[in-house]
Amino acid sequence: MEAQLEQKIAVVESPRKRRMKEMSSRFFQNKLAVVGGIFTLLLILMAVFAPVVAPYNPSEQDYAKFLQSPNGENLLGTDELGRDIFSRIIYGARVSIQAGIISVGIALLIGIPIGLFSGYYRGVLDEFVVMRFTDALLSFPPLVLALSLAAVLGAGLQNAMIAIGIIFTPNFIRLVRGEVLSQREREYVTAAKASGISDFKIIFRHILPNCLPPILVQATLSIAAAIISEASLSYLGLGTQPPTPSWGAMLSMGQGYLGDAPWISLFPGLFIFMTVLSINLFGDGLRDALDPKLK
Amino acid sequence: MVKFLIRRLGLMVVILFLVSIIVFSLVHLTPGDPARMILGQEATEESLQALREQMGLNDPLYVQYFSWVTNVLQGDLGNSLKDNTPVLTVLLQKLPVTIQLSIMSFFIAMVIAIPAGIVSATRKGTFWDYFGTTFALSGVSVPPFFLGILLIFIFSISFGWLAPSGYVEPWKDFKKSMLLMILPALAVGVRLSAEITRMLRSSMLEVLEADYIRTAYAKGVLERGVVIGHALKNALIPVVTVSGLQLATFLGGAVITETIFAIPGIGRLVIDAILTRDFPVVQGAVLFMAIAVVVVNFFIDVLYSILDPRIKLTGGQ
């Protein structure tokens, strides 16, 4: 009986495939979003294949070549220790992308279940504990909270990712809860309840898939924000530790040479900006494709 | 209205209580010994024990929390580990600097965002709309520290027009103070303006679809009159509300900007305290910022309920 009903629900939801087609055609019409997506993809490939793409070892010091401006040999110049900036940027992409994905993954892992149960069961726990706790967490300047957490946990990429994950969690709890509140009133949920399907199954098998589009958009945009947060922590010395190349730390190191060798700071900064912009363009395009009303 | 106010006030008290628990937990619930965390790994057992005694770390956790909260409510945020100055005194010394940065940044943000948002919405799909939205998206995507460094590189190093860092109180030398604060205010303001432009554009687009706007056009009101006199007023209401929520992000941006431009405000204080492990100052400053955000949002909600009476009917939800 349960299986039959689920099959029926699946048949009812079959227009989803048609909607997917419409969404993808809307997405591909948005040129800026496509450009953002392509750049992001290239960046991910660059990060994955860093040992192949990078012309030099990012930690290799060459004092004969220190503070060289961009030239044929070192495309983006060298830093104060003679290290190749381009190679360091390529390896830095690994840190940034990893930090973006893992910290948002942490936020999703905590935020989705809490949001789902809170929105589905509501009640005192939802109203007075979960919602007020997210209100309280959102009252802190995110960067300051991340910095304080990173300081308490200890400097390093892993702790920075945990700190960033924690500060992004309330956003996902609120988003998922809001979506569940609107989904739980729909007929398919009433039908599933009437047929005796367990709450757990209703939440994870039926409600969650319907909440995925806004979660996907928020997750994409949060990756961009997480990359800025990690770079900010590394800039202030609480994120990735040397000698691992990270964009934020490169910018910070180069700040002292801004007059003599601006490329040390400006190129990593430009890469952070381009990466975040591309992900934001992609995320915005995704949102417009999924919900054209919001455009 | 009274019912709404009482409900909203109660909500604020609950949030402040949770904020205090989070700030307290920052130091007390994290793994490891807070005394060792404060004094560092090289600390001797005697100094650790003395600090534990001084901070009441040997008491049960709830006793520690209540004694901390009682002190905070009496205005005692503890003393800085660096020079034993009361944290509240340090915060109040730094506050005017951050307020000056905030006012100037907010002014810059509004000067950019209001025209950009209006033009983007009223000229939807044109070059100006693309220009406005691209600017807004770029502004949101640029890391605050990179924007700061870029401004120093352009205006201080390349053109030599403005000093790259420093601070002078406005009552000592007003002109110099303003000149020193332009670049930091731009760094924070441009980013804020990008957020506000995005919000204003979408809010304006929604308002422009309303019946009363069509009526105004039908009555023969000029476009400028419709947009500025009718649409902007209503489009700004949600923007103001969301701007309250942006205050937290704004303070975060100020933290990093104050560090880059060596401005002795609360942001710089937090960073210095974090880097020197001066946890009473970190706790005090973080609590101070969070309270500022909660209180500002309370007033914005009340203002919103006055501007839009529908909100009271739903109890402010």
Side-chain angles (χ1 to χ4, degrees), chain A residues 13 19 39 53 63 80 89 94 101 130 136 204 214 233 244 275:
Chain A
E13 286 170 353
R19 281 211 309 275
F39 188 85
V53 186
Y63 291 99
E80 73 280 11
I89 285 179
R94 281 188 156 185
I101 293 174
V130 176
F204 283 96
L233 290 182
T244 309
T275 306

Side-chain angles (χ1 to χ4, degrees), chain B residues 195-212:
Chain B
E195 304 267 7
I196 298 176
T197 303
R198 275 160 77 90
M199 283 186 277
L200 183 59
R201 179 183 179 269
S202 60
S203 153
M204 195 84 177
L205 280 174
E206 208 173 293
V207 171
L208 286 173
E209 296 283 314
D211 288 342
Y212 76 94

Side-chain angles (χ1 to χ4, degrees), chain A residues 151-182:
Chain A
V152 169
L153 296 171
L157 179 60
Q158 195 183 329
N159 290 338
M161 291 190 295
I162 295 172
I164 299 166
I166 292 173
I167 61 163
F168 281 172
T169 303
N171 296 325
F172 285 103
I173 295 178
R174 283 182 155 249
L175 175 79
V176 176
R177 177 187 176 270
E179 283 299 314
V180 175
L181 285 182
S182 75

